[in-house]
Amino acid sequence: MSIWSELIPEFSFEQVFVEPWTEFLDPFIWIFLMGFFVTAACGFLGTFIVWRRMALVGDAISHSVLPGLVIAFLVSQSRDTLPMFLGAVGAGVLTTGLIEVIHQKSRIKTDAALGIVFTTLFAIGVVLVSLYGENVDLDTDCVLYGELEHVTLEPLSSVFGLFEAPGSVIRMGVVSLLVVGLVILFYRPLVVSSFDPGLARSMGMNPAAMHHALMSLLAIVVVSSFEAVGAVLVIAMLIFPGTTASLLSDRLPVILGITLVIAFLGALLGMHFALWLDISTAGAISTVIFGMFLLAWVFAPRRGLLWQVFR
Amino acid sequence: MKLAGESWKRFCGLSFAPALRWALAGVLVLLFAASAEAARISDMQDTNVWEQAIRFFSLRDDVVRTALLGSIFLGISCGLLGSFIVVRKLSLFGDTLSHAVLPGVAIGYLVAGEKDPFAIFVGATVAGVLGTVVVNLIKKTTHIKEDSSLGMVLAGFYGIGIVLMNRIQKLPTGTQSGVNKFLFGQAAAVSPTEVWMIAGVAVAAVLMVLLFYRQFLLGSFDIGFARSLGLPAGLFHYLLMMLLAFTVVVSLQAVGAVLVSAMLVIPAASAYLLTDRMHRMLVLASVFGIFSGVLGAFFSFLGNSLPTGPLMVLAASSIFTLSFLFSPKHGLVSRWRKRRRGQKRIENENTLKAIYQVRESYGFAGEGVRVKDLALRMGETTDETRRRLEKLAAVGVCDLKEIEGKSYAFLNPDGWLRACAVVRNHRLWELYLTNQAEYEPDHVHDDAEVIEHILGEETVRHLERLLDYPAEDPHGKLIPSLADLQRSLTKGSSEDKATGYRMPNQ
């Protein structure tokens, strides 16, 4: 079967593991960093998203920002951060608004309303991309699995004269720092309102405001990750680190720490994996973190399948 | 109110024609928008839209015939299975399933070495079943909640699928493999073999639903009851899931993995808004499915390279929007109009009641009511009262006349009957609250103001019986009785018609 032998290319340790860190450090370090920032920001925030049963809201938002992005491209004729961001946030707000309207003004249940709204907006986005693909510098591949590798094509820009990095890596780094910083800053209200909204209210917190803040942060993270990982794989980055970590520990600070480790390992292995097989880095990262989840599911102490069987 | 007959119907403004007109206008707008879209696509493709359209609908091309047949059968099975998905609240499960089949498609391609529909069908089905099993296993063996486990299988399997597809495209034969068409669909790439498979699944779905309709229905709405009847509810659940998996898998080529779930959910949700009966929902959803499928295939054909899936979804969403707005019972606009009608009715009934009260203050002497007296009674200017009376005149229960420089309002028999009925409702209710519910007489008015517009004939009869056919309300005013009202209508003498109603004490 020749097709199978060609499916998996020859493995060269030198080329896959050594060269990215020596000779070709310049492009590969950016791919790695971009992958790490995306997975870390998504995973860190995703831990709370998963706890609040909003995992599929993330799915919906990641799909429905597409028409916002395309329209922003078409209107502003540029890839500037601001119009892109406004378009995506507009689409995100429209999504949640439409879901609410359909859910409240008819007898359609929330799950179906979600399914209707995000697929419709996504379909509009895909048609726009197919029609005006050349003009907006987006194609359907990017929508489906992102183009994380494209960070290497960007010109370097300097950060306060300290070091130079591609613009999107800097942007994603700022977003991850923002996510981690905000979560640490609002740790107590976030935790209390996630686990017990009633208690939070009695303590003088505002769980509704917390919910909206979290949704906005989710929208920001999803939008900034969109070009790197596409509409679907964002879900992997959002859900896997948090759930995997929750199989390994019961303590939230430890879980949040583990999500960062998972993000680091996922980005690292994913990059090498993608380099070896010549595939989409985002697809490789999501496969790696899926694998990590499977490992944790089977081997985790106390919670793992093996532990449960042989206890 | 059978008494008042036709004019009462008019009074309420009940008529189906406006709703129909609205729906028609909506369809026209849709068609207009669709043709505008088509025009733009043609500009880009430099082909004549009409020629393409004629080519499509004359079915001269084999490709078109295949794509069309495929879309029709696909619409049927998506509509049928989607209906169960929507009523069982499994929409997100459908989404997960449609993403999870992707690695199966790739492996099917690799095993067969080419785009073999059967191998891909088997591979995708296996992957779909595996995905379902993993979701259930995660749910059973960990503390992870269902929505997260759905999301994990969706994204995890999809990621593996993407990795495999990337590799396939790097193969020497990969660029012509057409596996990337499985993501957004291309109806024109549907092969005759695939149409047979789509048709097979559609026929199986229709047969199963016809054969086991009751079982599926019970399992969807009351699983406890189904079990108590001794039905193997689990078996039928798995049968339904199996059919769902088949539907998703055969739809891949035409709709694409990313949007199959939309073709399941949206036509069914549109039908859900239009009917309360499951069998009608199934038929409507299939019709909508066919319509969206064909429309999507058509526009994809017009725009040569456009992916079919998103276009089908957009067609389905347009149907949903129409049904969301104009569904006779659940539609946004319809409900708004109904509310408006109700408000108008209440306003008119209040005017009628005031006319009754003014005539009562005249001791029922004469036939008309002075507009000025009515205005005093209602506490508003004569202009405002005149506008109220004009509204009554518009529904044909009242005439406005100038006699010797003073304006009078005359109710015709229908209007007078209705006025009596409202006053009767009001006073009976006040009496009921005082006598039976032991309210204070001065606390009952506000409650009666609301209920007088709602009480039906049956309830009024019951109230009269309960209160032993009273003649007076708690404030000493006379209650016009139902028997008198009916007598005055059936007798129909000229004298009765003139006053319309004879007082109980006459």
Side-chain angles (χ1 to χ4, degrees):
Chain A
M1 294 277 263
S2 66
I3 202 162
W4 292 100
S5 58
E6 281 178 45
L7 186 68
I8 297 171
E10 211 172 305
F11 178 75
S12 133
F13 185 83
E14 176 75 16
Q15 190 209 335
V16 172
F17 281 105
V18 179
E19 283 178 9
W21 298 105
T22 52
E23 196 176 340
F24 300 113
L25 182 67
D26 179 37
F28 282 105
I29 187 75
W30 302 130
I31 293 180
F32 165 72
L33 277 179
M34 190 66 183
F36 172 66
F37 286 147
V38 168
T39 320
C42 287
F44 210 76
L45 190 66
T47 310
F48 292 96
I49 301 291
V50 165
W51 251 314
R52 300 171 72 111
R53 297 186 177 231
M54 283 159 55
L56 296 161
V57 178
D59 185 23
I61 291 183
S62 71
H63 279 79
S64 54
V65 294
L66 180 62
L69 286 178
V70 181
I71 291 170
F73 270 135
L74 287 175
V75 170
S76 71
Q77 292 293 336
S78 72
R79 292 175 63 112
D80 290 344
T81 315
L82 186 68
M84 232 177 67
F85 186 71
L86 285 181
V89 168
V93 171
L94 186 69
T95 316
T96 40
L98 283 177
I99 292 172
E100 279 297 297
V101 166
I102 292 182
H103 173 57
Q104 281 174 3
K105 298 281 172 185
S106 78
R107 56 201 201 127
I108 304 279
K109 312 285 182 305
T110 329
D111 68 324
L114 199 88
I116 293 167
V117 171
F118 86 78
T119 49
T120 302
L121 288 174
F122 188 62
I124 294 175
V126 174
V127 170
L128 287 176
V129 168
S130 316
L131 283 176
Y132 304 107
E134 311 88 78
N135 309 356
V136 296
D137 207 6
L138 258 174
D139 57 10
T140 46
D141 286 353
C142 170
V143 174
L144 288 168
Y145 45 81
E147 280 164 341
L148 214 153
E149 306 77 17
H150 282 201
V151 293
T152 55
L153 305 177
E154 282 177 40
L156 298 184
S157 38
S158 131
V159 186
F160 305 127
L162 295 174
F163 58 93
E164 289 191 323
S168 54
V169 176
I170 299 173
R171 205 162 50 232
M172 202 61 225
V174 171
V175 169
S176 337
L177 281 179
L178 186 76
V179 168
V180 174
L182 283 178
V183 167
I184 290 173
L185 202 62
F186 292 101
Y187 184 74
R188 266 178 64 81
L190 195 55
V191 172
V192 178
S193 66
S194 296
F195 287 97
D196 194 341
L199 177 67
R201 216 168 291 124
S202 74
M203 288 167 72
M205 296 162 184
N206 187 346
M210 218 38 156
H211 176 80
H212 290 304
L214 210 59
M215 288 288 279
S216 321
L217 204 55
L218 178 64
I220 294 174
V221 169
V222 166
V223 170
S224 12
S225 315
F226 190 90
E227 271 185 89
V229 297
V232 189
L233 295 173
V234 169
I235 317 305
M237 316 299 180
L238 274 174
I239 306 181
F240 280 123
T243 46
T244 310
S246 75
L247 287 172
L248 299 173
S249 171
D250 285 333
R251 294 185 36 75
L252 193 55
V254 182
I255 289 178
L256 288 173
I258 296 177
T259 61
L260 294 183
V261 175
I262 291 174
F264 181 83
L265 287 176
L268 188 70
L269 291 176
M271 180 194 78
H272 290 301
F273 191 34
L275 177 63
W276 169 35
L277 294 177
D278 189 19
I279 54 177
S280 138
T281 313
I285 295 178
S286 73
T287 304
V288 168
I289 56 180
F290 183 32
M292 287 195 221
F293 167 76
L294 292 179
L295 285 179
W297 187 21
V298 176
F299 297 108
R302 285 208 309 286
R303 291 241 164 91
L305 290 179
L306 281 183
W307 187 283
Q308 285 176 16
V309 170
F310 293 110
R311 190 175 38 182
Chain B
M1 280 296 292
K2 285 203 186 77
L3 308 172
E6 266 313 301
S7 77
W8 184 241
K9 212 172 193 178
R10 233 181 320 142
F11 181 77
C12 298
L14 256 173
S15 147
F16 225 80
L20 207 66
R21 257 194 318 241
W22 273 105
L24 259 176
V27 170
L28 278 179
V29 167
L30 182 76
L31 284 179
F32 182 74
S35 59
E37 173 78 356
R40 210 174 60 230
I41 296 167
S42 81
D43 291 342
M44 297 187 58
Q45 300 291 333
D46 271 344
T47 46
N48 188 330
V49 186
W50 292 113
E51 265 172 35
Q52 288 281 81
I54 290 164
R55 234 180 102 203
F56 185 84
F57 283 114
S58 65
L59 306 179
R60 270 187 308 227
D61 288 334
D62 273 344
V63 180
V64 172
R65 268 201 297 272
T66 319
L68 205 58
L69 267 182
S71 316
I72 289 173
F73 283 120
L74 194 139
I76 294 174
S77 32
C78 281
L80 284 183
L81 274 306
S83 300
F84 288 107
I85 290 270
V86 166
V87 297
R88 286 188 175 201
K89 297 178 208 144
L90 288 173
S91 308
L92 299 165
F93 179 77
D95 196 27
T96 300
L97 192 63
S98 62
H99 285 76
V101 294
L102 208 55
V105 171
I107 290 173
Y109 175 87
L110 285 171
V111 169
E114 59 177 344
K115 212 189 103 193
D116 173 33
F118 189 69
I120 287 174
F121 178 83
V122 173
T125 309
V126 170
V129 171
L130 190 67
T132 318
V133 170
V134 173
V135 169
N136 283 327
L137 270 182
I138 293 179
K139 213 165 64 183
K140 277 200 185 113
T141 60
T142 68
H143 60 282
I144 294 168
K145 285 154 199 141
E146 186 173 12
D147 67 326
S148 298
S149 57
L150 281 173
M152 281 197 285
V153 169
L154 184 158
F157 277 50
Y158 180 85
I160 297 175
I162 289 295
V163 167
L164 288 172
M165 291 215 166
N166 278 181
R167 281 312 305 162
I168 289 175
Q169 279 169 333
K170 298 278 154 56
L171 293 175
T173 54
T175 39
Q176 304 97 39
S177 65
V179 279
N180 52 345
K181 294 273 189 284
F182 282 100
L183 288 162
F184 283 135
Q186 191 71 59
V190 174
S191 68
T193 327
E194 279 164 327
V195 170
W196 280 111
M197 286 163 66
I198 298 175
V201 170
V203 169
V206 171
L207 274 182
M208 289 295 165
V209 169
L210 284 179
L211 276 177
F212 301 119
Y213 178 66
R214 287 170 55 81
Q215 285 86 337
F216 283 151
L217 198 63
L218 271 180
S220 302
F221 289 103
D222 196 340
I223 199 137
F225 182 55
R227 287 220 180 87
S228 74
L229 288 180
L231 286 178
L235 184 75
F236 284 110
H237 178 76
Y238 285 116
L239 183 62
L240 204 62
M241 291 300 113
M242 205 64 205
L243 281 174
L244 180 67
F246 285 154
T247 304
V248 166
V249 170
V250 294
S251 308
L252 285 180
Q253 178 70 78
V255 192
V258 184
L259 287 168
V260 174
S261 70
M263 276 299 281
L264 288 169
V265 174
I266 302 179
S270 320
Y272 187 56
L273 288 178
L274 292 173
T275 174
D276 291 332
R277 313 283 307 177
M278 191 67 189
H279 59 272
R280 288 199 199 120
M281 181 177 168
L282 289 170
V283 173
L284 268 179
S286 308
V287 171
F288 292 157
I290 294 173
F291 189 71
S292 333
V294 170
L295 220 59
F298 172 62
F299 283 120
S300 161
F301 183 73
L302 277 189
N304 274 327
S305 68
L306 283 181
T308 317
L311 293 171
M312 286 186 180
V313 172
L314 287 185
S317 316
S318 313
I319 297 175
F320 177 79
T321 312
L322 286 182
S323 118
F324 179 69
L325 292 178
F326 302 112
S327 151
K329 200 165 162 196
H330 303 287
L332 207 61
V333 174
S334 324
R335 275 191 310 180
W336 176 72
R337 287 168 61 90
K338 216 179 282 170
R339 211 169 43 235
R340 274 276 311 271
R341 267 206 304 270
Q343 280 166 354
K344 243 194 247 169
R345 185 177 67 100
I346 287 173
E347 202 178 300
N348 282 343
E349 285 184 350
N350 285 338
T351 318
L352 285 174
K353 191 176 65 184
I355 293 177
Y356 180 97
Q357 286 162 340
V358 172
R359 282 203 66 196
E360 195 175 39
S361 71
Y362 294 169
F364 298 101
E367 295 187 1
V369 167
R370 263 198 80 178
V371 174
K372 206 172 135 198
D373 293 338
L374 195 60
L376 265 173
R377 169 90 220 167
M378 303 201 74
E380 54 188 24
T381 66
T382 44
D383 282 344
E384 281 170 337
T385 308
R386 206 180 298 277
R387 270 199 294 279
R388 279 175 178 281
L389 289 168
E390 275 158 9
K391 275 183 208 158
L392 277 187
V395 290
V397 296
C398 166
D399 289 318
L400 271 169
K401 275 182 197 144
E402 297 282 330
I403 299 173
E404 296 165 5
K406 294 165 181 165
S407 37
Y408 286 88
F410 293 91
L411 288 185
N412 68 10
D414 278 342
W416 181 239
L417 273 178
R418 189 63 205 160
C420 292
V422 174
V423 172
R424 185 191 72 227
N425 288 354
H426 183 99
R427 293 182 179 172
L428 269 178
W429 190 253
E430 285 191 339
L431 194 64
Y432 170 75
L433 286 184
T434 351
N435 289 5
Q436 307 282 324
E438 299 186 344
Y439 274 48
E440 291 296 319
D442 52 347
H443 278 66
V444 293
H445 177 74
D446 292 341
D447 202 32
E449 278 288 295
V450 179
I451 201 115
E452 66 191 14
H453 306 291
I454 302 163
L455 285 179
E457 201 177 336
E458 201 61 33
T459 325
V460 169
R461 276 182 205 284
H462 190 73
L463 276 178
E464 280 194 322
R465 230 179 358 257
L466 196 71
L467 297 165
D468 201 20
Y469 304 99
E472 290 185 353
D473 77 354
H475 310 294
K477 297 236 172 93
L478 289 167
I479 301 176
S481 84
L482 195 66
D484 288 322
L485 287 180
Q486 268 171 343
R487 207 177 309 129
S488 70
L489 193 78
T490 44
K491 259 165 102 188
S493 72
S494 62
E495 179 203 356
D496 283 333
K497 269 202 177 136
T499 51
Y501 166 66
R502 190 191 297 226
M503 285 304 297
N505 58 344
Q506 273 177 324

